[in-house]
């Protein structure tokens, strides 16, 4: 099984200088390492050519974002499996073998993620993926090891390989043929939530999403957009709403249509009261953009749902926000 590690880069020279050496050191020589550059204006390309001549470069003419950037790059890479990796991830010895083992042994494994730990607090899970991702019935994401902003310490409590709902875009392995058959990431997302959307579509096509904690990587996080970025919040809200409309069954969509606007507008009001006007505005702008794109999203939904052969079994049927309010701070054995 031929595999390729693919890192999408945009003005990330500082991350490449810090993290690429671990990828080169701990990735078997039989696996290609590719950096797809999204039209960087820094010296990322020159740095790779000088320091890592064995790393293949794919040069894109501008910043296409995470979704389209990967879509364009992966069309140029011949492999059975893609291992997508953020530029701010440190990998460990033997990290690829457990991931590829799932692909080889289970033809219905569409994607598999490693355990994602924090680069700065190495005994804690990392926000972006922890030990496997899930969503609740309203579409809010959470992880084994991370509920909303509460991040757990890694004590080996989630070291079992198991089926999850989504694999973090920071680091995951997927079947190349399936990726392309499903149209890859949604180009309209630009960045954020595109991997969750893809994982949902994989499940609707009958495939499983797995997490394999025997593979461990450390993620710095916040490499592209800061946590308090209003643009990041806009993308998260808009893309999440789009994903729900595209993929959710009718019964779930009805609940989401009633409850989500109330919950999200409450969040916007809290931002406003807290003096975070830009974040409040981002929430409203996300809804405005979502409604403006409604017809186009409806066409995508028709295509996605008409091709669906089954539903995901990994959606939490309650609300993580409600559970959080009443004291749920750890994933535990909820799913």
């Amino acid at each position: 099984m031929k595999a390729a590690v693919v890192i999408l880069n945009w003005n990330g020279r500082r991350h490449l200088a810090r993290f690429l050496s671990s990828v080169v050191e701990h990735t078997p020589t039989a696996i290609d390492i590719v950096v797809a550059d999204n039209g960087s204006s820094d010296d990322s390309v020159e740095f790779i050519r000088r320091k890592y001549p064995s790393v293949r470069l794919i040069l894109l003419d501008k910043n296409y974002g995470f979704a389209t950037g990967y879509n364009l790059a992966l069309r140029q890479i011949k492999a059975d499996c893609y291992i997508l990796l953020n530029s701010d991830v440190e990998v460990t010895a033997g990290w690829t073998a457990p991931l590829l083992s799932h692909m080889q042994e289970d033809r219905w494994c569409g994607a598999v993620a490693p355990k994602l730990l924090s680069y700065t607090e190495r005994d804690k899970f990392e926000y972006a993926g922890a030990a496997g991702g899930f969503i609740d019935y309203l579409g809010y994401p959470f992880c084994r090891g991370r509920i909303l902003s509460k991040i757990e310490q890694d004590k080996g409590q989630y070291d079992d390989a198991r089926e999850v709902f989504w694999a973090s875009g920071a680091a995951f392995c997927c079947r190349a043929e399936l990726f392309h058959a499903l149209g890859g990431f949604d180009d309209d997302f630009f960045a954020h939530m595109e991997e969750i959307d893809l994982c949902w579509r994989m499940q609707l096509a009958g495939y499983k999403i797995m997490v394999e904690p025997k593979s461990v990587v450390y993620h710095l996080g916040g490499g592209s957009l800061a946590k308090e970025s209003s643009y990041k919040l806009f993308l998260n809200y808009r893309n999440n709403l789009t994903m729900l409309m595209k993929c959710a069954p009718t019964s779930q969509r009805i609940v989401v249509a009633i409850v989500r606007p109330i919950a999200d507008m409450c969040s916007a009001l809290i931002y406003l009261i807290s003096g975070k006007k830009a974040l409040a505005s981002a929430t409203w702008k996300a809804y405005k953009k979502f409604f403006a794109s409604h017809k186009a999203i409806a066409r995508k939904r028709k295509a996605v749902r008409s091709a669906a052969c089954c539903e995901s079994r990994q959606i939490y049927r309650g609300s993580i926000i409600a559970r959080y309010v009443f004291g749920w701070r750890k994933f535990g054995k909820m799913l």
Side-chain angles (χ1 to χ4, degrees):
M1 177 173 282
K2 182 174 175 55
V5 174
V6 188
I7 300 169
L8 189 68
N9 173 69
W10 180 68
N11 288 343
R13 199 271 198 198
R14 68 192 186 283
H15 293 321
L16 295 170
R18 191 174 185 179
F19 297 102
L20 187 55
S21 60
S22 75
V23 181
V24 173
E25 178 183 358
H26 296 305
T27 300
T29 55
I31 298 177
D32 295 333
I33 300 175
V34 183
V35 172
D37 188 77
N38 242 341
S40 292
S41 57
D42 66 4
D43 65 339
S44 294
V45 172
E46 291 75 12
F47 170 78
I48 294 170
R49 283 174 173 162
R50 182 179 69 255
K51 185 90 179 209
Y52 299 101
S54 64
V55 172
R56 178 186 169 189
L57 277 165
I58 292 177
L59 304 181
L60 304 177
D61 62 323
K62 65 178 182 180
N63 182 14
Y64 288 95
F66 189 97
T68 301
Y70 262 125
N71 286 344
L72 293 173
L74 297 182
R75 290 171 194 159
Q76 303 179 51
I77 300 171
K78 292 183 178 180
D80 300 305
C81 293
Y82 302 132
I83 304 176
L84 308 188
L85 193 69
N86 276 13
S87 61
D88 59 347
V89 171
E90 177 189 274
V91 304
T92 60
W95 74 289
T96 60
L99 304 178
L100 294 174
S101 178
H102 279 275
M103 293 293 167
Q104 292 172 325
E105 296 173 5
D106 186 355
R107 67 180 297 267
W108 292 108
C109 179
V112 56
K115 178 163 68 173
L116 206 64
L117 298 178
S118 169
Y119 179 76
T120 55
E121 296 180 90
R122 298 174 81 84
D123 63 338
K124 287 188 175 182
F125 291 104
E126 207 281 319
Y127 181 94
F134 294 89
I135 63 169
D136 72 0
Y137 205 64
L138 296 178
Y140 295 115
F142 61 105
C143 306
R144 288 203 306 173
R146 191 268 294 175
I147 305 297
L148 299 183
S149 60
K150 183 68 175 181
I151 299 173
E152 294 180 47
Q153 186 176 12
D154 176 25
K155 298 179 180 179
Q157 68 271 42
Y158 306 124
D159 275 356
D160 56 313
R162 61 156 293 177
E163 192 172 350
V164 294
F165 186 83
W166 55 271
S168 172
F172 79 99
C173 177
C174 67
R175 293 190 184 278
E177 185 178 9
L178 179 62
F179 180 91
H180 294 298
L182 294 176
F185 295 124
D186 189 325
D187 288 312
D188 290 333
F189 277 38
F190 187 78
H192 296 290
M193 296 280 173
E194 65 289 310
E195 79 272 42
I196 305 180
D197 172 76
L198 176 62
C199 287
W200 199 340
R201 288 185 281 124
M202 284 183 175
Q203 291 169 87
L204 293 177
Y207 289 82
K208 295 182 292 185
I209 311 301
M210 300 292 296
V211 63
E212 177 47 86
K214 289 180 182 177
S215 175
V216 179
V217 302
Y218 295 88
H219 185 215
L220 178 63
S224 54
L225 290 172
K227 185 177 180 180
E228 290 285 291
S229 164
S230 60
Y231 184 52
K232 180 176 183 177
L233 188 70
F234 164 81
L235 290 172
N236 276 324
Y237 271 105
R238 184 201 63 179
N239 294 349
N240 184 267
L241 293 167
T242 299
M243 173 185 70
L244 286 162
M245 183 172 174
K246 283 171 55 181
C247 301
T250 301
S251 56
Q252 185 179 0
R253 276 196 63 210
I254 292 172
V255 174
V256 168
I258 296 170
V259 181
R260 270 296 296 270
I262 298 172
D264 292 343
M265 289 308 107
C266 286
S267 295
L269 285 174
I270 292 172
Y271 286 136
L272 193 61
I273 293 169
S274 302
K276 300 177 180 178
K277 294 182 180 180
L279 297 181
S281 178
T283 307
W284 297 325
K285 288 178 180 177
Y287 267 85
K288 182 179 179 180
K289 183 65 175 179
F290 169 71
F291 287 127
S293 306
H294 194 272
K295 289 184 178 179
I297 301 170
R299 289 193 292 269
K300 291 183 182 180
R301 173 179 173 79
K302 184 177 181 180
V304 169
R305 294 299 306 179
S306 63
C309 67
C310 54
E311 300 294 344
S312 172
R313 302 184 301 273
Q314 303 303 320
I315 297 174
Y316 173 55
R317 301 296 167 175
S319 165
I320 60 162
I321 294 178
R323 293 299 298 263
Y324 190 89
V325 169
F326 287 100
W328 184 32
R329 298 293 189 273
K330 295 182 179 180
F331 183 90
K333 297 181 179 180
M334 185 55 59
L335 282 167

